[in-house]
Amino acid sequence: MTAPAGLGARPHLEGLSVATRTDVAAGDIAGYRQVVRSLLFRPAADGASPVHGFVLSHPAFNALIERLFPGNTSLVHLQQELTVHRGIQAGDTIRTFAEVTSLRSEPQGARVTIACSQTDDGGGPVTDLKATVLLKGYLQGEDFGANAQQASPVRALPGADPVEFEVTPTQSFINAYALASGDHNPIHTSPAAARDAGFPGPIAHGMSSLAVGCEIAADRLGSGRISTVRSLGARFSLPILPGEPLVFSFRPTALADTFVFGCTTPRGPAIKAGWMRISDAAEPRP
């Protein structure tokens, strides 16, 4: 991954932005899906995960967080939305533009929303993303912007039978995901860092659960092709501990191509207000 192309020079947080340029290798795409699908005990077919756009947004995302709170590692991912315009391919050059769009002060710190838009080298849209995070201990800056959407825009059909699947992430899986995704936040791999952040121990990456959910949805609801997963949104409501089972559940809605989904641990729901659009329509090519 390349270094950030530049930081926004505005004196206030509103409008703070970063741009990055990343060349995509086939091994990166395959390696990421191989790790994610290791919990499903089946190898990945060709194609990039919808979540790979988030992976490629890390340089811009992390540069913004560092600008907001230099040296801080106490970050909790609260919510994520993404829309795939076309699948990422080996040989692509992906340009990411990330911008802070809102900040809300809370007793523990600040709730910050970052919007990312990704294009290919020709300017064609690839992925749009919106992440909301809690920066623990961040007490600077004035509130601005609108809160991100907090609930699913659709509801399950009454009485609809769910499609369910259970997986159990281990610490080995979490460590492998950190390497494959480039997300090295120590709360996922260091017991001391996790305890300092208020957790009983290392926790799984929230995006790893979304990536696994995409694979399950593609297998069970989308003809086995990962490219059928076109957009999604979810709230992370409970940290996932290694060794505990996760039950993913998908239910149909009145919209033919949209499902509500969740992920539950024995301690309660880890993902709430989840929704996912799955379409077999032909994907536009670059």
Side-chain angles (χ1 to χ4, degrees):
M1 293 183 178
T2 58
L7 288 167
R10 301 184 185 186
H12 303 291
L13 299 181
E14 186 171 3
L16 184 67
S17 62
V18 168
T20 61
R21 179 180 181 274
T22 307
D23 297 326
V24 182
D28 296 335
I29 292 174
Y32 180 79
R33 286 197 69 198
Q34 180 179 1
V35 169
V36 173
R37 289 190 66 87
S38 67
L39 294 184
L40 279 62
F41 305 106
R42 283 182 287 184
D46 292 339
S49 167
V51 179
H52 206 90
F54 181 84
V55 172
L56 298 182
S57 75
H58 279 167
F61 185 89
N62 290 341
L64 277 180
I65 296 300
E66 181 66 19
R67 181 67 176 270
L68 284 167
F69 203 177
N72 175 64
T73 58
S74 187
L75 177 153
V76 180
H77 201 163
L78 301 176
Q79 185 168 323
Q80 182 68 47
E81 297 178 18
L82 67 84
T83 298
V84 177
H85 299 288
R86 72 140 173 106
I88 293 167
Q89 300 175 343
D92 277 341
T93 296
I94 302 298
R95 298 179 181 274
T96 300
F97 177 80
E99 182 178 19
V100 177
T101 58
S102 73
L103 183 148
R104 287 289 180 271
S105 301
E106 297 189 357
Q108 296 184 72
R111 182 182 295 256
V112 176
T113 298
I114 295 173
C116 297
S117 60
Q118 293 178 326
T119 59
D120 57 31
D121 224 13
V126 178
T127 313
D128 290 329
L129 309 102
K130 183 181 292 184
T132 301
V133 300
L134 176 66
L135 295 180
K136 290 189 174 182
Y138 185 88
L139 303 174
Q140 307 173 49
E142 297 181 355
D143 292 2
F144 65 89
N147 283 328
Q149 183 171 286
Q150 294 296 308
S152 171
V154 291
R155 295 182 181 275
L157 290 173
D161 292 330
V163 172
E164 295 185 336
F165 194 86
E166 181 177 311
V167 300
T168 302
T170 62
Q171 187 62 53
S172 295
F173 167 80
I174 296 170
N175 293 344
Y177 186 87
L179 291 174
S181 68
D183 185 344
H184 299 293
N185 186 333
I187 66 172
H188 303 300
T189 55
S190 166
R195 287 193 297 268
D196 288 345
F199 302 109
I203 61 173
H205 302 72
M207 292 305 291
S208 71
S209 60
L210 284 192
V212 170
C214 288
E215 299 288 349
I216 295 170
D219 286 354
R220 299 299 183 90
L221 305 170
S223 305
R225 294 184 293 114
I226 197 64
S227 61
T228 59
V229 180
R230 298 303 181 85
S231 58
L232 61 86
R235 292 169 54 196
F236 303 113
S237 54
L238 193 68
I240 296 170
L241 304 178
E244 64 179 2
L246 307 178
V247 177
F248 288 84
S249 178
F250 298 83
R251 289 178 169 82
T253 71
L255 299 176
D257 62 353
T258 303
F259 296 79
V260 296
F261 80 96
C263 173
T264 303
T265 76
R267 296 173 292 112
I271 292 178
K272 286 183 176 180
W275 59 273
M276 190 177 296
R277 189 172 74 85
I278 302 168
S279 174
D280 282 315
E283 178 186 336
R285 312 311 295 174

